[in-house]
Amino acid sequence: MKTPSIRSAALLGVVFCIFMMAVALGLEHIGGYEPCPLCVFQRVAVIATGVVLLIAAVHDPASRGGKVIYGVLGLLTAGAGAFIAGRHVWLQSLPADEVPTCGPGLDYMIDILPMQEVVAMVLTGSGECAEIDFSLLGLSLPAWTLIGFALLLLIPLRMIVLARQRAMLFS
């Protein structure tokens, strides 16, 4: 019996990642919205997830182990993005008096600080990340990105389900 392929699921995820990046870049270059450090980290997570899914689609592993590995990697990258987007939404929901002060720009931090300190400072948040510059249907861009990551998490979960189905076929 032929094992279900992960290629179509992975390609769907790649297309969704391209869509998410197109929206982000369109808002930046056409709409004039500058990304804050948390937005940049979310973009990195979208790209990382897209790369994992693209490799999975090209490889299209038939083995259970391959499907699980790509599924877990996809869960890690999309999960990290969801965490960052959730943190961003939380910062935006803080009362004005509890918003952290604005720190140095991301480029400056990358130039002078070790990467682990940059990541820690960005995840701690800054005042610029708490600003809501764009909203659609009452949701800020980070909230939409969080929804996007939640949908994207379904793709690697599907890969793991396909791996489990294969195991059940041969038990």
Side-chain angles (χ1 to χ4, degrees):
M1 180 176 264
K2 189 171 186 301
T3 326
S5 167
I6 66 167
R7 179 170 283 146
S8 58
L11 285 175
L12 177 64
V14 169
V15 169
F16 194 68
C17 288
I18 291 169
F19 170 75
M20 288 177 72
M21 285 305 301
V23 169
L25 292 172
L27 287 171
E28 178 181 356
H29 296 289
I30 297 169
Y33 296 101
E34 276 298 311
C36 73
L38 283 174
C39 291
V40 172
F41 277 34
Q42 289 168 65
R43 290 179 184 190
V44 170
V46 169
I47 293 168
T49 303
V51 167
V52 167
L53 295 175
L54 181 61
I55 293 169
V58 170
H59 181 208
D60 193 24
S63 72
R64 177 177 183 221
K67 291 175 184 175
V68 169
I69 288 170
Y70 288 122
V72 168
L73 289 174
L75 284 175
L76 288 174
T77 55
F83 171 79
I84 295 166
R87 176 85 175 147
H88 201 166
V89 170
W90 175 78
L91 273 173
Q92 289 182 333
S93 71
L94 289 175
D97 62 330
E98 292 181 30
V99 172
T101 59
C102 290
L106 184 60
D107 291 336
Y108 178 76
M109 287 191 289
I110 289 173
D111 286 343
I112 65 161
L113 297 172
M115 190 50 72
Q116 65 268 21
E117 285 184 43
V118 172
V119 171
M121 285 182 74
V122 169
L123 291 179
T124 302
S126 72
E128 70 177 309
C129 293
E131 294 175 18
I132 299 176
D133 294 332
F134 176 85
S135 65
L136 178 66
L137 302 175
L139 296 175
S140 67
L141 188 56
W144 282 108
T145 306
L146 180 57
I147 292 168
F149 277 117
L151 292 172
L152 200 52
L153 281 165
L154 297 174
I155 303 296
L157 285 173
R158 173 75 178 144
M159 292 177 189
I160 294 170
V161 166
L162 288 173
R164 180 154 167 70
Q165 284 176 349
R166 182 184 193 280
M168 290 171 47
L169 287 175
F170 295 104
S171 340

